Amino acid sequence: MLDVAPEVAAALAANRPVVALESTIISHGMPYPQNVRTATRVEAAVREEGAVPATIAIIDGRLTVGLDATGVERLGRGGPGVAKVSRRDIPFIVARGGDGATTVAATMIIAAMAGIRVFATGGIGGVHRGAEVSMDISADLDELGRTDVAVVCAGVKSVLDLGRTLEYLETRGVPVVGWKTDTLPAFYTRSSGLPVDYRVDTPLEAAAAMHAKWRLRLSGGIVIAVPVPEDAALDPADIDAAIDEAVAAMPAQGVVGKAATPFLLQRIADQTGGRSLAANIALVVNNARVAARIAHAYCRADTRSDD
Ligand code: PSU
Ligand code: MN
């Protein structure tokens, strides 16, 4: 059921760096054709850093690691018409032989199956605002609690409840690490003001903690949160207003469940006249570069005996 592209398989077999990339961001996170262009740029950024990109999705029911350009185009053009696949959805899309755009959770699962330990994306899912009533908590958080993949992201978007997201990750035993920062980045802005658990300033520091965690059989992921590049960051007051508007619009439109995150992303892009999309693209590319450097360090550090 698993198809690993030859280039990706060869790199893994030789302990060369590979970076997994998700596909919900392609089909549900950005409009066409920016989604396809971004996916292509992100892959190029990974290559520029000397690592192999492995975009992950389900194509005709096959778990696909290392999507080709045709696959990326198909998921990008298909947009929201492509199934958004989290953990619960994988067996059904496979059984039906369908296509699926994988979330952070599903991408982690498939990356781990293929032996990939580093994954780059924009933002992870989290505890939604009002979750104390709706119980809307992304399956990404439980996946981070169980699957051995480091997720390099730009922190957590403030469409979510950041404080509760951190509490939930703590409960699940997931370290939240700041990349050259002491606070959790808030996706469009460089800081939420909330402290992270640990700070790393080099790829090797991140890689050493990953090795220690998994050598100790402490299963589960690590969140490595990278602030959006300075020149792409949005003004906090502007973006907060757009986010508040989007969150407030949800109940009237009856948006719940898996539709919530795509709805909020689209609404915010409309509200900010596309500036949120530009920031999103810049931060994903940046995260891919950081992830590639961490993947390099992880491979280099993996020479000690497994005792
Ligand atoms: N956050 C973003 N952009 C995204 C997503 C989250 O800033 O594209 C996507 C990711 O694929 C993430 C998913 O895994 O949304 C979370 O969806 P949910 O909240 O339904 O679990
Ligand atoms: Mn949800």
Side-chain angles (χ1 to χ4, degrees):
M1 295 183 220
L2 182 68
D3 283 336
V4 181
E7 184 193 18
V8 174
L12 290 168
N15 191 33
R16 281 187 279 115
V18 175
V19 175
L21 302 164
E22 62 149 311
S23 47
T24 289
I25 191 174
I26 302 175
S27 296
H28 300 265
M30 289 183 191
Y32 183 83
Q34 286 97 331
N35 53 6
V36 171
R37 248 182 264 150
T38 303
T40 310
R41 274 181 63 191
V42 169
E43 292 200 3
V46 170
R47 287 189 195 285
E48 278 162 29
E49 298 294 333
V52 175
T55 301
I56 291 178
I58 303 180
I59 299 287
D60 292 329
R62 306 281 305 176
L63 309 184
T64 305
V65 178
L67 219 56
D68 60 15
T70 317
V72 170
E73 179 69 25
R74 180 156 142 185
L75 292 186
R77 248 186 213 284
V82 178
K84 175 179 164 185
V85 173
S86 194
R87 169 177 276 270
R88 66 165 179 199
D89 308 293
I90 293 174
F92 288 85
I93 302 303
V94 167
R96 290 173 185 168
D99 286 354
T102 50
T103 63
V104 168
T107 304
M108 288 179 75
I109 293 169
I110 299 168
M113 281 179 191
I116 303 173
R117 293 278 169 252
V118 183
F119 164 20
T121 187
I124 56 169
V127 178
H128 279 261
R129 295 192 197 175
E132 60 274 30
V133 175
S134 69
M135 291 185 72
D136 189 348
I137 299 172
S138 175
D140 292 353
L141 301 187
D142 274 29
E143 207 58 53
L144 281 159
R146 68 200 289 183
T147 300
D148 300 0
V149 174
V151 180
V152 179
C153 63
V156 181
K157 258 199 192 89
S158 49
V159 296
L160 303 170
D161 184 325
L162 277 59
R164 285 190 170 91
T165 299
L166 289 178
E167 291 294 346
Y168 196 88
L169 287 168
E170 180 194 7
T171 303
R172 291 288 181 254
V174 181
V176 178
V177 179
W179 175 261
K180 301 183 184 180
T181 180
D182 297 305
T183 58
L184 179 70
F187 200 87
Y188 299 117
T189 58
R190 289 175 59 84
S191 175
S192 64
L194 299 168
V196 288
D197 307 319
Y198 296 94
R199 168 187 176 132
V200 297
D201 289 280
T202 65
L204 192 60
E205 277 177 84
M210 290 159 63
H211 276 295
K213 179 172 167 68
W214 297 325
R215 284 159 58 90
L216 291 166
R217 310 270 187 267
L218 296 170
S219 59
I222 299 179
V223 175
I224 301 174
V226 183
V228 55
E230 207 111 38
D231 54 1
L234 300 187
D235 178 65
D238 285 1
I239 190 65
D240 285 350
I243 287 171
D244 288 344
E245 193 281 340
V247 172
M250 265 209 322
Q253 308 226 6
V255 178
V256 291
K258 71 196 283 187
T261 299
F263 172 85
L264 292 167
L265 299 181
Q266 179 57 52
R267 186 99 182 178
I268 292 163
D270 293 346
Q271 288 279 310
T272 60
R275 278 179 299 129
S276 66
L277 183 56
N280 199 345
I281 293 168
L283 67 83
V284 184
V285 171
N286 186 54
N287 293 345
R289 289 189 191 286
V290 173
R293 287 181 218 141
I294 292 171
H296 259 291
Y298 187 76
C299 290
R300 275 202 310 275
D302 192 20
T303 48
R304 294 187 300 175
S305 70
D306 206 354
D307 56 1

